Amino acid sequence: YLEQTIEWDRRDHKLEPKEGWYLALSLQEGGLGGVFRFFRAMPEARGYLSFGEEKRVTLAAKVKAGTLLSFNPDKESPILARFFSGGSSMRWFSTRRLSPLLEVPRTGSPPPLPTAPELQHVDGETVPIGGKGLLEVSVELRWNVWGDLVLAVFSDSGMVTWEAFGEAPNAFDYFYTSVGLGIRYRTPLGPIRVDFAVRLPVGKPQRLNPTGKLDPRIIDYDKS
């Protein structure tokens, strides 16, 4: 595939900005003799505003979106080009766990019975497989309390859809929001962050088996 990234950075500091804004656009085109033919676009915008004595209070906001269009007859897409969220981009979710999920047998589960595999129950787990649509919105208020110590309150919202952005039915049923508190300590290499988040009870459970590849033998999978 080919990839292009365009950035316009007007922040006053790259590691810990207090004023300014940042715009970026990432494009990918796949199909140069490979199996998949696709086009992916991912724009992003960030803004920062500080006020108060010595600009100790900073309001930061971020919006990021993405869509992946597949031109294969079966609409399949490479998993490396799909979108994942979670971790620092969507706090409360573990890294890459905000994603459509697929049920698979748990590692070490016994193989299916050769005579009647449909009668055997196998423990399973959910594996994130990524999606073709992404939306992330984050707002954070930071307060430089004393010296290098900074406290923060934040709200993160986001979703990853199996279909391309704009094509997913009832997409905002899977749009989640979390709120939380954070502690920052400045170092010469950048701030060390510790965040605590709670997800609000809004939105349906994450989509399982969006590809339709359900193994009826699998039970007791993790739905979190």
Side-chain angles (χ1 to χ4, degrees):
Y1 64 88
L2 296 176
E3 183 173 7
Q4 308 86 41
T5 300
I6 304 170
E7 295 181 333
W8 193 0
D9 194 345
R10 300 290 294 176
R11 297 174 294 180
D12 58 349
H13 196 279
K14 291 185 180 295
L15 293 179
E16 194 179 0
K18 291 189 173 184
E19 296 280 354
W21 44 267
Y22 169 88
L23 299 175
L25 175 63
S26 174
L27 303 174
Q28 277 189 14
E29 305 88 23
L32 303 177
V35 177
F36 299 102
R37 294 185 299 117
F38 67 90
F39 172 74
R40 191 182 84 163
M42 185 167 59
E44 179 179 355
R46 304 181 188 183
Y48 305 88
L49 178 64
S50 293
F51 48 91
E53 182 182 354
E54 298 181 356
K55 296 185 176 181
R56 288 180 173 268
V57 179
T58 301
L59 178 65
K62 181 190 78 169
V63 178
K64 186 177 183 180
T67 189
L68 173 62
L69 304 176
S70 176
F71 303 115
N72 283 34
D74 56 6
K75 297 299 182 181
E76 285 290 343
S77 58
I79 191 170
L80 294 178
R82 296 177 195 163
F83 299 109
F84 297 82
S85 189
S88 60
S89 58
M90 177 65 189
R91 287 162 283 194
W92 187 87
F93 285 90
S94 298
T95 302
R96 299 172 68 87
R97 287 295 296 184
L98 178 51
S99 160
L101 304 171
L102 184 68
E103 296 164 315
V104 299
R106 197 179 301 277
T107 303
S109 297
L113 297 173
T115 54
E118 70 279 359
L119 299 180
Q120 181 185 11
H121 286 168
V122 178
D123 287 340
E125 58 186 336
T126 55
V127 176
I129 57 175
K132 302 175 186 175
L134 168 74
L135 178 61
E136 294 175 348
V137 181
S138 180
V139 178
E140 183 170 284
L141 186 65
R142 305 167 187 159
W143 176 33
N144 184 191
V145 180
W146 176 78
D148 293 323
L149 181 63
V150 179
L151 300 181
V153 294
F154 61 85
S155 172
D156 290 346
S157 299
M159 65 179 179
V160 177
T161 59
W162 175 247
E163 297 83 2
F165 191 70
E167 297 179 356
N170 304 317
F172 283 90
D173 289 344
Y174 307 96
F175 188 67
Y176 307 111
T177 298
S178 63
V179 296
L181 303 173
I183 301 174
R184 317 279 186 262
Y185 187 79
R186 295 170 176 161
T187 73
L189 299 179
I192 298 175
R193 301 182 1 176
V194 178
D195 293 322
F196 304 91
V198 175
R199 185 169 77 84
L200 302 181
V202 178
K204 294 182 178 180
Q206 289 179 264
R207 289 178 65 180
L208 293 176
N209 301 295
T211 63
K213 300 175 182 178
L214 172 63
D215 187 340
R217 300 177 295 110
I218 296 177
I219 61 170
D220 299 332
Y221 50 80
D222 176 17
K223 293 186 178 180
S224 63

